[in-house]
Amino acid sequence: MNRFYGKVGYGESSEDPTGSGIWVDEITEQEYFGDVIRKARSLEQTEQLNPNISVGNSISIVADQYANANFSNIRYVFWNDVAWTVTEVEVRSPRLILTLGEVYNGPFPVPEEAP
């Protein structure tokens, strides 16, 4: 079993601008320790030129209060320098088991501007 330390991205949907009917994810990131408990990879053949790479890895993180309260908002995990979409979250207190899928192509946190 390999150790894990990395960022987990949470997305909370909000209407932007208010009243527009357009909903966007506002992303925040938290860092966690854990273990990589499963490693797997698959290629999905599509009508595209290149197949989609998908991993079936599972990462077990030690959940804090924030993770337990917001596990349904987890969008991605940075693992091996790549953001991977979290396709499933299993609650096994005090841990969360995160199952990874394809490369994450959604929004990331907006960096704060320096004063």
Side-chain angles (χ1 to χ4, degrees):
M1 192 174 338
N2 293 341
R3 295 283 184 204
F4 168 80
Y5 176 75
K7 294 180 181 179
V8 174
Y10 295 83
E12 189 169 334
S13 294
S14 63
E15 194 173 17
D16 186 33
T18 303
S20 67
I22 299 171
W23 292 83
V24 296
D25 276 346
E26 292 183 29
I27 303 295
T28 59
E29 292 180 335
Q30 302 284 328
E31 293 183 343
Y32 294 98
F33 287 97
D35 300 300
V36 178
I37 57 176
R38 180 173 186 256
K39 290 184 183 181
R41 179 195 65 86
S42 65
L43 292 175
E44 297 176 19
Q45 294 297 329
T46 64
E47 294 181 14
Q48 300 172 2
L49 180 61
N50 297 317
N52 292 333
I53 295 175
S54 180
V55 295
N57 297 359
S58 293
I59 295 177
S60 171
I61 63 169
V62 179
D64 59 9
Q65 186 176 3
Y66 185 85
N68 282 320
N70 294 284
F71 72 88
S72 62
N73 295 330
I74 294 175
R75 300 291 190 258
Y76 62 86
V77 169
F78 269 102
W79 181 68
N80 284 351
D81 298 325
V82 176
W84 297 96
T85 301
V86 174
T87 59
E88 182 179 344
V89 179
E90 181 181 347
V91 178
R92 285 194 207 166
S93 193
R95 292 182 169 266
L96 297 178
I97 311 300
L98 311 176
T99 303
L100 310 183
E102 294 183 357
V103 172
Y104 176 76
N105 291 313
F108 289 96
V110 177
E112 295 183 23
E113 294 182 17

